Amino acid sequence: KCLQQFLANLGEEIYPEKLITGYYGPLTQKAVQRYQALKGIIATGYFGPLTRAKVNQELWESIKDHESNDFVILSEALLEVDF
C-alpha cells in the first residue's frame, strides 16, 4: 500500500487509477514503469534496488525540506514496515 500511495501522490501521469489496495498487480506495475521512465531508470515495472533507492531518496529529500506532510506520514509508515 505504501508504494501505491507514493505513486498516487505523484499525480495522474504516473498512477491515474490511484488505487491503494496493497496488491502489486498490472496497474501498479505500469505506474512503476512510468515512474522509472520519468527518473531515467530502465522501465521494467519491477520494484528493485534502483527504483527503491530513488523512491527512498525522494522521500528523504521531501522530509528534509518539509515540503509535504503527506510524504512525512508516508515515510514514517515505510519505516514501520522496514521499507
Side-chain angles (χ1 to χ4, degrees):
K1 288 184 177 183
C2 294
L3 174 60
Q4 291 170 328
Q5 186 64 57
F6 173 80
L7 295 167
N9 285 344
L10 295 177
E12 296 283 325
E13 64 278 357
I14 299 295
Y15 193 29
E17 298 83 6
K18 297 187 182 232
L19 294 174
I20 313 301
T21 64
Y23 171 67
Y24 195 94
L27 296 177
T28 305
Q29 183 178 14
K30 189 66 175 168
V32 169
Q33 286 176 318
R34 289 185 196 106
Y35 175 79
Q36 290 168 326
L38 180 69
K39 300 301 176 178
I41 301 168
I42 296 171
T44 62
Y46 173 69
F47 192 67
L50 293 176
T51 307
R52 183 182 303 266
K54 188 62 177 173
V55 168
N56 285 337
Q57 176 188 359
E58 289 190 25
L59 287 170
W60 287 118
E61 286 174 3
S62 178
I63 291 168
K64 185 174 59 175
D65 296 338
H66 302 289
E67 291 178 355
S68 170
N69 191 42
D70 289 342
F71 283 116
V72 173
I73 292 168
L74 179 58
S75 66
E76 289 172 354
L78 291 172
L79 287 173
E80 288 178 16
V81 296
D82 292 326
F83 181 73

